Amino acid sequence: DGELSFSRSMINSSDKVIRKGGSSIFQHAVEGWKINNSLVLEIRKNILRFLDAERDVSVVKSSFKPGDVIHYVLDRRRTLNISQDLHRLLPEVSPMKNRRFKTCAVVGNSGILLDSGCGKEIDSHDFVIRCNLAPVVEFAADVGTKSDFITMNPSVVQRAFGGFRNESDREKFVRRLSMLNDSVLWIPAFMVKGGEKHVEWVNALILKNKLKVRTAYPSLRLIHAVRGYWLTNKVHIKRPSTGLLMYTLATRFCDEIHLYGFWPFPKDVHGKPVKYHYYDDLKYRYFSNASPHRMPLEFKTLYVLHNRGALKLTTGNCV
Ligand code: CTP
């Protein structure tokens, strides 16, 4: 499947474009962008060889009973007990079963979104996927507010909600989840040990407050399958980032995928500083080999796919 292999030279040439700060080249590629439907179908078909997003997006109730013990996906020596609460919140069927959309937005969390004016455009998509419970209201003009599917790493509880140490943190969290109505809240609870207490607190708050969000917990095989797909296409990613996971899943449901907020570089094409996140002061951590992600490599891959019409990457302003 030559169509899909990312040769080293393709990735290197896009690397040059990015490093040169070639805004005109990049802008040109954005303006002349056109979807390549046959490539979209080809990618969907190839990804389906590794995973079925409808199924792998979440485990379902019937797969477990309370008290079952599972091994963490990325740390097989350690185990987790399926609690009563967790079991109650597992969906009966996949929350993405039979859902199909003409256009989807996958919104990453880069500071490149600030002053982009992309909010309206993002919200105009049929299905909007966001990452890590990123705040939207205060940034609506740039990021929009629609959230049909939102991810939440357990670490978010600590990072953005004070570890639920006091009542006001918990209230803030409940308010954030209430805004989601019946959207999908996707919690990677089985990846590594460390966040289990946070997941339990989240589960308890959802149940206690009878929140409508539809919880989903990725299958035990998802991350390996996604990694396998990209490895087969010569993209050597140790551990796919949430954003890349979301794009990979979205290929199953969406005919046209638009990415926003993907820019893992501390400067924009004009040399202006770009915050790592649009909403907090987290610093860039992804340039050392020790980090699990290879976002710059992921970005280059997405850029190649953009140029070939498989997806649309927006890194500039929308108006
Ligand atoms: N992202 C990006 N450039 C940035 C920040 C984020 O391209 N400067 C994309 C990445 O694909 C990332 C996604 O947006 O996975 C969501 O961002 P974030 O919440 O920061 O993800 P992380 O928590 O850093 O990474 P992960 O949860 O995947 O470990």
Side-chain angles (χ1 to χ4, degrees):
D1 42 19
E3 266 273 76
L4 269 175
S5 301
F6 304 100
S7 69
R8 206 161 274 284
S9 73
M10 265 158 64
I11 288 185
N12 285 346
S13 63
S14 68
D15 197 19
K16 257 182 245 144
V17 173
I18 295 159
R19 266 187 296 151
K20 240 172 48 186
S23 56
S24 56
I25 305 169
F26 195 74
Q27 223 38 55
H28 178 75
V30 169
E31 271 156 28
W33 186 85
K34 206 168 151 280
I35 185 105
N36 177 345
N37 286 312
S38 57
L39 181 56
V40 167
L41 291 179
E42 177 86 10
I43 290 174
R44 179 180 298 154
K45 198 178 84 197
N46 283 324
I47 291 179
L48 268 165
R49 296 206 181 116
F50 289 82
L51 66 140
D52 179 352
E54 258 192 18
R55 188 189 62 215
D56 288 314
V57 71
S58 182
V59 293
V60 291
K61 228 191 244 315
S62 56
S63 324
F64 297 113
K65 31 182 210 322
D68 278 355
V69 173
I70 61 165
H71 290 262
Y72 283 103
V73 172
L74 300 173
D75 184 0
R76 304 265 320 142
R77 284 166 312 170
R78 294 168 195 268
T79 57
L80 170 78
N81 273 32
I82 303 286
S83 69
Q84 293 279 356
D85 278 0
L86 178 56
H87 191 257
R88 279 173 70 190
L89 286 170
L90 296 181
E92 303 273 353
V93 292
S94 166
M96 295 306 292
K97 194 172 163 60
N98 296 329
R99 301 187 74 183
R100 297 292 178 269
F101 309 96
K102 232 167 94 57
T103 77
C104 298
V106 179
V107 187
N109 285 333
S110 164
I112 200 80
L113 280 166
L114 292 170
D115 292 328
S116 68
C118 286
K120 269 212 186 91
E121 186 180 311
I122 291 174
D123 283 354
S124 73
H125 292 288
D126 301 325
F127 193 73
V128 179
I129 301 172
R130 297 184 193 267
C131 301
N132 276 322
L133 219 54
V136 288
V137 177
E138 314 90 291
F139 304 95
D142 294 329
V143 310
T145 56
K146 185 171 172 177
S147 312
D148 300 292
F149 188 111
I150 193 158
T151 75
M152 195 199 96
N153 287 346
S155 58
V156 165
V157 171
Q158 195 62 46
R159 209 179 276 166
F161 297 93
F164 292 160
R165 263 186 297 279
N166 48 51
E167 188 56 29
S168 70
D169 295 327
R170 294 189 286 273
E171 275 167 11
K172 183 175 154 204
F173 182 78
V174 170
R175 269 200 308 278
R176 180 74 186 89
L177 290 202
S178 313
M179 279 176 49
L180 296 172
N181 294 312
D182 60 353
S183 301
V184 177
L185 176 68
W186 189 83
I187 309 177
F190 312 135
M191 295 299 155
V192 283
K193 195 171 167 65
E196 58 281 1
K197 240 194 273 136
H198 292 144
V199 173
E200 277 308 311
W201 295 341
V202 167
N203 291 342
L205 283 176
I206 293 172
L207 289 166
K208 180 172 155 224
N209 292 280
K210 300 196 169 64
L211 299 175
K212 282 195 297 186
V213 288
R214 296 197 282 155
T215 38
Y217 306 84
S219 83
L220 302 174
R221 58 189 296 284
L222 176 71
I223 198 149
H224 295 306
V226 169
R227 189 163 161 263
Y229 167 75
W230 291 104
L231 279 178
T232 307
N233 288 290
K234 304 197 176 70
V235 183
H236 294 270
I237 292 165
K238 262 194 264 175
R239 187 166 142 195
S241 74
T242 306
L244 188 72
L245 273 174
M246 289 301 120
Y247 163 71
T248 312
L249 289 176
T251 58
R252 178 77 167 104
F253 313 109
C254 310
D255 292 335
E256 210 176 290
I257 301 175
H258 294 240
L259 306 185
Y260 304 84
F262 285 68
W263 187 263
F265 308 105
K267 287 188 178 154
D268 70 8
V269 288
H270 309 290
K272 235 177 77 194
V274 178
K275 290 179 69 184
Y276 180 68
H277 279 161
Y278 67 83
Y279 52 87
D280 66 20
D281 291 319
L282 205 68
K283 298 287 173 242
Y284 286 83
R285 310 165 280 166
Y286 294 118
F287 294 100
S288 84
N289 278 337
S291 113
H293 294 313
R294 301 190 61 190
M295 281 191 200
L297 171 65
E298 290 186 1
F299 180 85
K300 286 172 216 160
T301 306
L302 296 170
Y303 183 65
V304 169
L305 287 172
H306 165 92
N307 285 334
R308 302 171 77 199
L311 56 85
K312 186 169 182 210
L313 191 53
T314 296
T315 56
N317 292 357
C318 286
V319 279

